Amino acid sequence: MAEHLDDPLSVLAEAPAFGALPDAVLRRLARKTEERTLPAGTLLFEQGATPEHLHVLLDGQVGLFGTGSDGATTTVVEVLHPIDQFILAAVLTDAPYLMSARALSDVRVCLIDARELRELVSAEPQLAVAMIVSLARQYRMLVRQVKDLKLRSTAQRLGCFLLALAREQNTPRTVRLPYDKQLIAARLGTTPENLSRAFAALRSHGVRTSGALVNLDDPQRLAAYAQPDDLATG
Amino acid sequence: MAEHLDDPLSVLAEAPAFGALPDAVLRRLARKTEERTLPAGTLLFEQGATPEHLHVLLDGQVGLFGTGSDGATTTVVEVLHPIDQFILAAVLTDAPYLMSARALSDVRVCLIDARELRELVSAEPQLAVAMIVSLARQYRMLVRQVKDLKLRSTAQRLGCFLLALAREQNTPRTVRLPYDKQLIAARLGTTPENLSRAFAALRSHGVRTSGALVNLDDPQRLAAYAQPDDLATG
């Protein structure tokens, strides 16, 4: 975990979505903000609940889970990394959550009072624009995911996932899987069995696994097969 | 097509996202708004282009298409119905389109100048809030679609699609398919061959097709199988 900042104002000032706001706005938000450190496995909120806070993830990983209307089947819609705020669309429109959030590791979050945030958004154009930028980024991440689910095979999706990890981890030829294979399968919209088949299919494109480590012997060949997005428009 | 309104101000006032705005704001937007009637098949903009206008769909249907980075494979991310604005996330952040838009029927659209819209959003909190509401709604539609793609089989997705059409068309036991089966397959994230198999699988749940008409003999049985979303939180 990064250094611990107790002052909500300093915490908010570090968050890209809030950092550029005028001091007066940040101070008003900070008065209605609390910081929490929570253990892995904590349920932060449940699908169907009305949002009480905007969560800002400062350290750790959070999974956003969607449950089918039978109440039994669950999938991972997104895995969030610091610093990100969730779930803006529900909080800003005071609508029931479409997903549940669970800490996938120990996490540090700050909680901004939802009602205060909505009031400030209506009064402060700069905050409104910051929220539009953040919401638009999240919308575009989902567009990329829908295209990924509809245009690529499971093995291609896995290839893109590994190439993205290599870029994030700044290690072009070795990546560490950031969470277990069941979660990776759900994030990629497949079953653990099909994920194993996809790993096997990628062997001929230079992908070798050893526990949580994955070697990419030939990233260019893998990219030619998996067709990752152009960063700007993919 | 509905009656033709030539005055951009009246057109904007009819759009849910803009109708509640103060007159002065509407008037400023209307000065930079043009109305167009375009034939089926028109490409409204291409993936990768920088947005020049926010499009407001007044009549007809528009498909948002995503193309893979190989440039060859294309899918349908969303089919839009009046009145809807697209693509807010790209226009409001001046970012390249992640999807192309094509008229699926003859359409009537109005085009709001993108730069003027962004300037007004920064200056007018009520417009900013209206854009947040619209963007949040579109984000939540994509969340529903990701959950649909990850949690349901193709036959269940088709069942939910038919039940939604029945609700929209207000005809619980007969629906008219709104576009061709290739487009329906892409919208549901499958191939035309798998769509045919899904129609066949739904026969035992009371679904009978005859051209573009589909009979739902037992909507409750179909719903028990397809598990459509709860409207509030699904």
Side-chain angles (χ1 to χ4, degrees), chain A residues 144-145 147-148 151-152 160 167 226-234, chain B residues 47 67-69:
Chain A
R144 287 194 172 91
Q145 183 172 164
K147 286 167 67 174
D148 190 47
L151 286 170
R152 295 194 181 95
C160 290
R167 204 170 48 229
Q227 296 283 333
D229 289 334
D230 178 311
L231 282 182
T233 60
Chain B
Q47 181 171 323
T67 301
S69 51

Side-chain angles (χ1 to χ4, degrees), chain A residues 24-231:
Chain A
V25 179
L26 267 186
R27 268 173 220 288
R28 250 190 84 182
L29 267 184
R31 277 201 297 272
K32 296 282 190 168
T33 298
E34 291 170 51
E35 194 182 329
R36 297 263 175 85
T37 302
L38 300 164
T42 304
L43 183 68
L44 301 174
F45 52 77
E46 267 193 291
Q47 181 171 322
T50 301
E52 290 177 20
H53 303 99
L54 180 70
H55 289 69
V56 184
L57 178 62
L58 303 168
D59 280 307
Q61 288 181 331
V62 165
L64 299 181
F65 293 84
T67 302
S69 52
D70 59 357
T73 48
T74 288
T75 191
V76 180
V77 174
E78 197 61 89
V79 175
L80 305 176
H81 306 274
I83 293 176
D84 208 347
Q85 34 284 333
F86 56 99
I87 299 177
L88 269 176
V91 170
L92 293 177
T93 57
D94 197 21
Y97 285 122
L98 298 179
M99 301 178 277
S100 304
R102 191 178 290 280
L104 301 178
S105 63
D106 293 350
V107 295
R108 192 162 62 93
V109 289
C110 71
L111 310 181
I112 303 175
D113 183 79
R115 180 186 300 263
E116 180 78 5
L117 180 66
R118 287 193 296 269
E119 281 174 15
L120 262 177
V121 163
S122 304
E124 297 287 345
Q126 281 169 290
L127 179 60
V129 169
M131 295 298 96
I132 284 172
V133 169
S134 196
L135 200 48
R137 189 179 59 76
Q138 294 178 357
Y139 173 86
R140 288 164 68 89
M141 281 176 62
L142 282 187
V143 169
R144 287 194 172 91
Q145 183 172 164
V146 170
K147 286 167 67 174
D148 190 47
L149 288 165
K150 288 183 168 178
L151 286 170
R152 295 194 181 95
S153 67
T154 304
Q156 286 180 309
R157 291 207 287 280
L158 176 59
C160 290
F161 178 74
L162 295 173
L163 290 166
L165 285 177
R167 204 170 48 229
E168 278 168 38
Q169 298 175 3
N170 208 12
T171 53
R173 286 172 188 277
T174 317
V175 300
R176 177 173 292 280
L177 298 179
Y179 30 86
D180 68 40
K181 289 187 179 173
Q182 195 168 348
L183 215 61
I184 293 174
R187 169 63 185 78
L188 297 178
T190 190
T191 59
E193 296 72 38
N194 278 333
L195 183 69
S196 298
R197 282 189 207 108
F199 268 114
L202 290 187
R203 256 181 241 144
S204 60
H205 301 281
V207 173
R208 288 175 301 118
T209 53
S210 136
L213 283 182
V214 181
N215 290 305
L216 312 181
D217 291 341
D218 190 343
Q220 283 193 317
R221 186 149 51 108
L222 181 60
Y225 169 72
Q227 296 283 333
D229 289 334
D230 178 311
L231 282 182

Side-chain angles (χ1 to χ4, degrees), chain B residues 65-140:
Chain B
F65 294 84
T67 301
S69 51
D70 59 358
T73 47
T74 289
T75 191
V76 179
V77 174
E78 197 61 88
V79 175
L80 304 176
H81 306 272
I83 293 177
D84 207 347
Q85 34 284 332
F86 57 100
I87 299 176
L88 268 175
V91 170
L92 293 176
T93 58
D94 197 21
Y97 285 122
L98 298 180
M99 301 178 277
S100 303
R102 191 178 290 279
L104 301 178
S105 63
D106 293 350
V107 297
R108 192 163 62 96
V109 291
C110 71
L111 309 180
I112 303 175
D113 183 79
R115 181 186 300 263
E116 180 77 4
L117 181 65
R118 287 193 297 269
E119 282 175 14
L120 261 178
V121 162
S122 304
E124 298 287 347
Q126 280 168 289
L127 179 60
V129 169
M131 294 299 96
I132 284 172
V133 169
S134 196
L135 201 46
R137 190 178 59 77
Q138 293 178 356
Y139 173 86
R140 288 164 68 89

